Amino acid sequence: MADDCGCTGIRTCLQCEENKKSKNIFKDEQSKKTMKKYEFCILCGETFLVDRECLHRKDVGNVKIKLEGITVIQDFINEIEEETIVADIEKTVWKPSQSGRRKQDFGPQVNFKKRKLKLVNFTGLPQFSKVLVERMWSSVPHLSDFQPVELCNLEYTPNRGSSIDPHFDDFWVWGERLVTLNLLSDSSLTFSVSGDTDNIEVSVPMPRRSLIIVQGPARYEWKHAIKRQDILSRRIAVTLRELAQDFCEGGKSYTVGHELIRTALSFKGESVQVSIKKDREG
């Protein structure tokens, strides 16, 4: 494959699996617990068993699994807007990332282990995102006060076996709401939680050009993932994150947070990778 592989540790993609780069390719880390799989209805917010149909707010086989904190807004942008946004994204170089993905970062560099932020290469969110954020403020009531300070574009393709393992986004620096615009193809976001006797998965559809908001229990109690089998054609995810409470007004790191918000919402940014390269070239 033409693209470089960005996998390290236990992460793998089709490229490094073919090259036998990973020592953990065949390692099965799945729990011996029974896996129960459900699907989420983006119309009524109820869950239903994979082999059944949602009856919209009716009792579907007494399913009581609740996945709270998910909002999916279909057709948040139109086809022409999608084409324009993708064209703008393609102007920035892609960097190989873990598990067969490629990425573009617009945000502070974060050392999650040491809990440190590096702002020097952060110049703001990209210009194309201004119209998206302003639309969130004006048309989505529970995003009217959303102040993103980080935007990450992630590219998924089936030929690289792109995916992302179940995980929580960091709680120290990132706040309540995670917001993603889904471009170029339909996909699914899989949420999982481990119970006393069962592992539970809930698959949430992400239609093309939809906006998905993750908050509340879905943010703090359920891990989320993108499964390899749910990437059927090229997909670009534009994810925006806000700051945790410590960086907001009244928090101990408010001064840093205020500067991050001011820089981010200038919408004059270039990717961190480009900024670092310019800095090195001097």
Side-chain angles (χ1 to χ4, degrees):
M1 298 181 186
D3 294 319
D4 292 334
C5 169
C7 298
T8 59
I10 65 171
R11 310 299 183 202
T12 69
C13 66
L14 288 179
Q15 181 175 351
C16 63
E17 289 171 14
E18 290 174 0
N19 295 334
K20 302 186 184 302
K21 171 183 171 181
S22 172
K23 299 177 181 179
N24 298 281
I25 293 171
F26 303 107
K27 185 175 180 180
D28 183 6
E29 296 185 357
Q30 293 297 315
S31 168
K32 294 182 180 179
K33 295 179 182 178
T34 302
M35 177 65 73
K36 291 187 176 179
K37 297 184 178 183
Y38 299 84
E39 294 190 15
F40 182 88
C41 178
I42 62 176
L43 297 179
C44 71
E46 299 292 331
T47 57
F48 57 100
L49 291 169
V50 170
D51 59 351
R52 301 192 181 188
E53 294 183 1
C54 180
L55 301 180
H56 299 306
R57 300 190 182 279
K58 295 182 180 179
D59 188 12
V60 185
N62 294 317
V63 174
K64 300 301 180 185
I65 297 299
K66 291 288 185 182
L67 177 57
E68 297 177 314
I70 297 293
T71 303
V72 178
I73 302 173
Q74 299 189 69
D75 298 314
F76 186 73
I77 61 172
N78 60 39
E79 293 181 20
I80 296 174
E81 289 172 324
E82 178 187 46
E83 184 177 342
T84 300
I85 291 169
V86 171
D88 283 342
I89 289 173
E90 298 289 21
K91 295 174 183 176
T92 296
V93 64
W94 289 97
K95 178 183 177 181
S97 185
Q98 301 272 30
S99 304
R101 293 166 290 147
R102 295 197 302 170
K103 68 178 180 179
Q104 300 171 355
D105 293 315
F106 298 82
Q109 294 173 267
V110 184
N111 186 320
F112 295 108
K113 290 184 178 180
K114 295 183 179 180
R115 294 196 169 188
K116 291 184 178 181
L117 293 176
K118 186 177 180 181
L119 280 61
V120 64
N121 293 306
F122 178 43
T123 55
L125 300 185
Q127 193 277 332
F128 80 81
S129 66
K130 183 177 181 181
V131 65
L132 298 176
V133 173
E134 290 178 345
R135 186 172 300 175
M136 293 175 199
W137 290 341
S138 64
S139 66
V140 184
H142 51 296
L143 291 181
S144 61
D145 60 346
F146 183 63
Q147 294 185 303
V149 297
E150 196 248 17
L151 182 149
C152 181
N153 296 322
L154 283 172
E155 180 200 57
Y156 295 76
T157 60
N159 67 300
R160 292 198 302 266
S162 303
S163 65
I164 187 167
D165 291 341
H167 67 284
F168 291 108
D169 278 30
D170 184 80
F171 300 136
W172 164 66
V173 66
W174 306 133
E176 167 84 12
R177 293 162 292 191
L178 309 175
V179 181
T180 297
L181 179 66
N182 190 55
L183 301 175
L184 297 181
S185 65
D186 296 344
S187 189
S188 296
L189 187 60
T190 299
F191 289 81
S192 60
V193 66
S194 181
D196 294 334
T197 59
D198 302 309
N199 286 326
I200 298 169
E201 281 188 353
V202 178
S203 178
V204 177
M206 293 190 297
R208 182 175 180 175
R209 294 185 292 276
S210 66
L211 190 79
I212 181 167
I213 305 164
V214 178
Q215 59 188 126
R219 164 79 167 104
Y220 296 109
E221 298 173 16
W222 295 72
K223 292 183 178 181
H224 59 275
I226 299 287
K227 292 188 173 183
R228 181 179 290 181
Q229 59 264 34
D230 289 329
I231 301 299
L232 303 179
S233 60
R234 189 185 186 212
R235 168 187 183 248
I236 294 177
V238 180
T239 297
L240 298 107
R241 298 178 176 90
E242 64 184 345
L243 287 168
Q245 196 59 46
D246 273 353
F247 294 88
C248 298
E249 189 170 359
K252 61 183 180 180
S253 300
Y254 170 67
T255 301
V256 174
H258 179 73
E259 178 63 19
L260 277 171
I261 292 171
R262 186 193 65 80
T263 301
L265 299 185
S266 70
F267 297 104
K268 297 178 180 179
E270 54 189 4
S271 73
V272 172
Q273 290 84 9
V274 171
S275 296
I276 292 174
K277 183 178 179 181
K278 287 184 177 180
D279 185 57
R280 287 174 178 171
E281 292 175 349

